Amino acid sequence: MSNNKNLYPRLTSLANSLPSSVPFVAPEMTERLSGIPVIARLGANESSFGPSPKVKKIIAESTSDVFKYGDPDAFDLKKELEKHLQIPSQNIIVGEGIDGLMGILCRLMLEEGDTVVTSNGAYPTFNYQVKGVGGVLETVPYLADYEDPNALIAKAKLLNAKMIYLANPDNPMGTHHSAEVIQRMIDSVPKESLLVLDEAYIELAPDGVAPKLDVLNKNVIRLRTFSKAYGLAGARVGYAIGHVDLVKSFDKIRNHFGVNTIGQKAALAALKDQKYISQVRNSIELGRERINQIARENGLKTIASSTNFVAVDCGLDGDFTRKVLAELVGMGIFVRMAFVAPQDRCLRVSVGIPEDIEHFAKAFPRALEKARNQ
Ligand SMILES: Cc1ncc(COP(=O)(O)O)c(C=O)c1O
């Protein structure tokens, strides 16, 4: 019950207790606040290679359909996903990106005070969604720049956690575990818990990193997106794969018209154009190599990445990386950094188009020098 009778608007006591924060400050917001135009957009792990030409064509041809609400069942897209993933469409729910699906999942699963286990410094939007429904976050540390499946499971067992979150590959470090490691984790999830396996970057990881899909397992939900490899972050389309009971329960509370008409068509066309995804994977590999090279030229190391970003180890602590970040942002280079020590020694640079990476290459030595001289 709300205890804020005298306050207006009459938010719930939970909402009143939450900080007014967003998990990520957008580059547009930074631009508005600083007045400095962004010349290289390398901070949000978008794919600045964009969607395939075929997808762009479909988007252009679909503009006159924008008056229509999107199909609430995303029927055609789910049928294509069914083919692509070789699982029944009843085990797939389409939503407004992984972030949107996470929000619904938290509302479905968590009551105030329920425990959720994640890694300290892992993807923060999940934490934001958990806290938004009053869940209690418990964390385990990274193990040498990797999320630690064994520690997550042990903590979940200890605390009788309702959910366990792991991203494979991980953001912000870009590291991945093999399918065997993740399968072992899946096999050891306590039966009272749900493993939320975030596979936002799975199309960019080496082949074989995703364990086999098992839609009969009630203890796992897998989240995927068209925002990364498919280059459709602004279209807001993602999907979850899980047991039919869990997938069906999304219908109870989801925003049925949340996934827009053009987004659905674009995602479907993107899925059909796997040749383009191979090209994107190649371009991203080259971009990762270039970022590794830039780091080396500046006497720094990088963390081996299986994603469309690279964590550049700035060699000192989080305070130093924050200074480097501020200098880069001041030069119009939008990048981000890891959130928590000791990973916050790393700057996170998305693999953008070569032109943007070259802007970074130019600015980085100056930013490092300025930060060192502060
Ligand atoms: C691990 C992870 N999960 C989810 C997302 C967001 O995905 P979507 O755009 O589908 O909401 C991101 C985006 O950076 C991410 O890094």
Side-chain angles (χ1 to χ4, degrees):
M1 208 204 305
S2 182
N3 61 2
N4 56 334
K5 277 189 230 118
N6 302 322
L7 294 176
Y8 184 83
R10 294 168 70 185
L11 301 185
T12 62
S13 40
L14 171 64
N16 272 322
S17 74
L18 294 170
S20 283
S21 64
V22 291
F24 289 111
V25 178
E28 291 81 3
M29 208 186 286
T30 315
E31 240 177 13
R32 280 193 294 275
L33 291 174
S34 66
I36 301 165
V38 168
I39 57 165
R41 198 174 164 105
L42 301 172
N45 304 341
E46 298 152 332
S47 182
S48 45
F49 301 100
S52 86
K54 286 183 184 160
V55 173
K56 285 186 194 163
K57 189 163 172 274
I58 291 286
I59 292 175
E61 286 168 6
S62 306
T63 51
S64 52
D65 283 335
V66 77
F67 77 95
K68 297 177 187 166
Y69 289 109
D71 173 3
D73 291 328
F75 184 85
D76 294 339
L77 175 55
K78 283 204 306 200
K79 281 288 157 200
E80 196 60 33
L81 281 165
E82 181 177 75
K83 258 199 272 170
H84 181 70
L85 301 168
Q86 300 281 297
I87 55 165
S89 60
Q90 64 172 8
N91 296 100
I92 304 165
I93 178 82
V94 173
E96 298 129 274
I98 289 180
D99 289 354
L101 289 161
M102 277 175 177
I104 302 168
L105 184 64
C106 288
R107 283 171 57 211
L108 276 174
M109 300 272 307
L110 301 175
E111 280 163 292
E112 276 193 57
D114 281 343
T115 302
V116 174
V117 175
T118 184
S119 308
N120 192 14
Y123 185 57
T125 308
F126 178 70
N127 303 355
Y128 170 85
Q129 303 285 16
V130 168
K131 287 184 189 153
V133 293
V136 177
L137 276 169
E138 297 284 347
T139 60
V140 301
Y142 274 62
L143 187 61
D145 297 331
Y146 285 74
E147 291 197 60
D148 184 348
N150 293 336
L152 286 163
I153 294 287
K155 189 109 179 178
K157 283 185 177 161
L158 187 71
L159 301 174
N160 188 24
K162 265 198 167 168
M163 280 192 214
I164 309 163
Y165 174 84
L166 175 116
N168 195 51
D170 161 67
N171 176 12
M173 302 313 284
T175 50
H176 79 267
H177 288 291
S178 67
E180 293 71 34
V181 169
I182 299 299
Q183 188 58 53
R184 269 202 300 280
M185 182 182 191
I186 291 173
D187 293 341
S188 53
V189 173
K191 70 175 188 319
E192 305 78 14
S193 304
L194 179 75
L195 173 63
V196 182
L197 181 55
D198 183 338
E199 297 182 315
Y201 300 96
I202 200 69
E203 297 86 359
L204 302 171
D207 290 338
V209 163
K212 200 169 172 309
L213 297 173
D214 174 9
V215 293
L216 296 178
N217 189 332
K218 291 194 167 189
N219 297 102
V220 186
I221 188 162
R222 296 168 70 157
L223 305 175
R224 296 190 179 177
T225 184
F226 289 92
S227 298
K228 306 298 176 186
Y230 292 100
L232 287 167
R236 307 308 302 129
V237 191
Y239 57 98
I241 303 161
H243 189 276
V244 64
D245 294 347
L246 179 58
V247 162
K248 258 177 132 176
S249 64
F250 276 70
D251 283 341
K252 296 182 183 194
I253 59 167
R254 74 187 171 96
N255 178 11
H256 286 260
F257 293 105
V259 185
N260 68 85
T261 307
I262 296 177
Q264 290 188 31
K265 290 192 175 190
L268 194 156
L271 206 53
K272 283 183 168 171
D273 195 356
Q274 289 299 317
K275 213 162 125 197
Y276 178 74
I277 297 306
S278 314
Q279 285 170 28
V280 167
R281 278 172 66 115
N282 290 342
S283 305
I284 286 174
E285 205 172 318
L286 290 175
R288 283 197 299 241
E289 252 325 297
R290 178 66 185 123
I291 295 171
N292 292 340
Q293 186 188 25
I294 295 165
R296 278 197 303 275
E297 283 165 6
N298 287 280
L300 302 175
K301 290 192 177 130
T302 51
I303 314 295
S305 168
S306 310
T307 62
N308 65 343
F309 61 87
V310 178
V312 178
D313 185 340
C314 291
L316 293 168
D317 59 4
D319 282 345
F320 178 69
T321 313
R322 256 178 292 282
K323 286 180 195 160
V324 178
L325 180 78
E327 292 299 335
L328 286 168
V329 170
M331 295 180 217
I333 311 294
F334 165 53
V335 288
R336 288 198 170 118
M337 62 182 280
F339 318 104
V340 169
Q343 281 71 40
D344 63 357
R345 69 191 193 286
C346 294
L347 203 63
R348 200 194 65 184
V349 185
S350 305
V351 178
I353 50 174
E355 192 186 322
D356 283 6
I357 296 183
E358 292 319 307
H359 282 304
F360 168 70
K362 231 167 147 189
F364 194 39
R366 277 188 285 151
L368 285 167
E369 195 189 327
K370 284 189 167 180
R372 283 182 187 127
N373 290 334
Q374 275 175 38

